[in-house]
Amino acid sequence: MAAQQEATILVGKKPTTNYVIATVMQFNQGSKRVILKARGSAIARAVAAATMVRDRFLAGQVDIREVKLLSDKITGQGGKERVVAAVEIVIERK
Amino acid sequence: MAAQQEATILVGKKPTTNYVIATVMQFNQGSKRVILKARGSAIARAVAAATMVRDRFLAGQVDIREVKLLSDKITGQGGKERVVAAVEIVIERK
């Protein structure tokens, strides 16, 4: 199977290193671009994973190309809409 | 006293709305640019504050111009160095 050029990883509540490993694996499998997406309190974890990949695990090999900050509307319990902050961090192979 | 053109707000452990209010006040006092800085788990709060200012409180009046992701070295208890992720979010009046 041909490797996808672009991969998206949803960052949730697992330890940061899980997302670091997932990102590094995507690049090692040939992805040119990995997008980390996170909402709410997982945002800090996505940022930590992205900087660890750029500055340690793939130092000199990838760049953080773009960081988008968004407001996502989600429907919570009871059908009430609320707004949460979200990020999309685009990491690209140099 | 003349208003500073640029203001920096350090985002810490207070409620997000505190930083939203501080940012809006800076713009209302004449700042052209407000920079929100945060480390570690406060990163999510800085992102939430920035999106709330852009999409609600000063909607149409400001833009998020740049989001820098950094690795900061801090000296923890016992003099041990550790690396934490950090963000700088640059918000500018349109």
Side-chain angles (χ1 to χ4, degrees), chain A residues 40 44 51 54-55 69-71 85, chain B residues 40 44 51 54-55 67 69-71 85:
Chain A
T51 55
R54 181 195 58 188
D55 299 335
L69 306 191
L70 313 161
S71 295
Chain B
T51 55
R54 181 194 58 189
D55 299 335
V67 183
L69 306 190
L70 313 162
S71 295

Side-chain angles (χ1 to χ4, degrees), chain A residues 7-8 11 22 26 34 47-48 51 56 64 70-71 76 89:
Chain A
T8 298
V11 177
Q26 283 297 338
V34 177
V47 168
T51 55
R56 269 166 63 189
I64 292 172
L70 313 161
S71 295
I89 304 171

Side-chain angles (χ1 to χ4, degrees), chain B residues 34-48:
Chain B
V34 177
I35 303 172
L36 296 180
K37 294 188 180 183
R39 274 181 184 159
S41 60
I43 288 172
R45 213 165 292 125
V47 169

Side-chain angles (χ1 to χ4, degrees), chain B residues 13-92:
Chain B
K13 302 191 173 190
K14 291 176 192 162
T16 304
T17 43
N18 287 36
Y19 304 107
V20 172
I21 292 166
T23 305
V24 172
M25 273 182 60
Q26 283 296 338
F27 280 117
N28 286 346
Q29 285 168 11
S31 289
K32 301 287 177 232
R33 169 193 290 216
V34 177
I35 303 172
L36 296 180
K37 294 188 180 183
R39 274 181 184 159
S41 60
I43 288 172
R45 213 165 292 125
V47 169
T51 55
M52 282 168 77
V53 168
R54 181 194 58 189
D55 299 335
R56 270 167 62 190
F57 293 92
L58 296 176
Q61 297 174 56
V62 299
D63 257 339
I64 293 172
R65 191 53 56 97
E66 196 183 355
V67 183
K68 275 183 251 180
L69 306 190
L70 313 162
S71 295
D72 273 7
K73 268 187 194 147
I74 60 169
T75 308
Q77 290 158 329
K80 219 177 163 186
E81 253 193 4
R82 57 192 203 89
V83 177
V84 291
V87 285
E88 293 183 16
I89 305 171
V90 180
I91 311 173
E92 279 185 9

Side-chain angles (χ1 to χ4, degrees), chain A residues 3-94:
Chain A
Q4 295 290 320
Q5 289 286 301
E6 181 174 309
T8 298
I9 295 170
L10 298 177
V11 177
K13 299 190 173 193
K14 291 177 193 163
T16 304
T17 43
N18 288 37
Y19 304 107
V20 172
I21 292 165
T23 304
V24 171
M25 273 183 59
Q26 283 297 338
F27 280 116
N28 287 346
Q29 285 168 10
S31 289
K32 300 287 177 231
R33 169 192 289 218
V34 177
I35 303 172
L36 296 178
K37 293 188 181 185
R39 273 181 184 159
S41 60
I43 289 173
R45 213 166 290 124
V47 168
T51 55
M52 281 168 78
V53 169
R54 181 195 58 188
D55 299 335
R56 269 166 63 189
F57 293 91
L58 296 175
Q61 298 174 56
V62 299
D63 258 339
I64 292 172
R65 190 53 55 95
E66 197 183 355
V67 183
K68 274 184 249 181
L69 306 191
L70 313 161
S71 295
D72 273 7
K73 268 186 194 148
I74 61 169
T75 308
Q77 289 158 327
K80 218 176 162 186
E81 254 193 3
R82 58 193 200 89
V83 177
V84 291
V87 285
E88 293 183 17
I89 304 171
V90 180
I91 310 173
E92 278 183 11
R93 189 172 278 284
K94 278 184 186 176

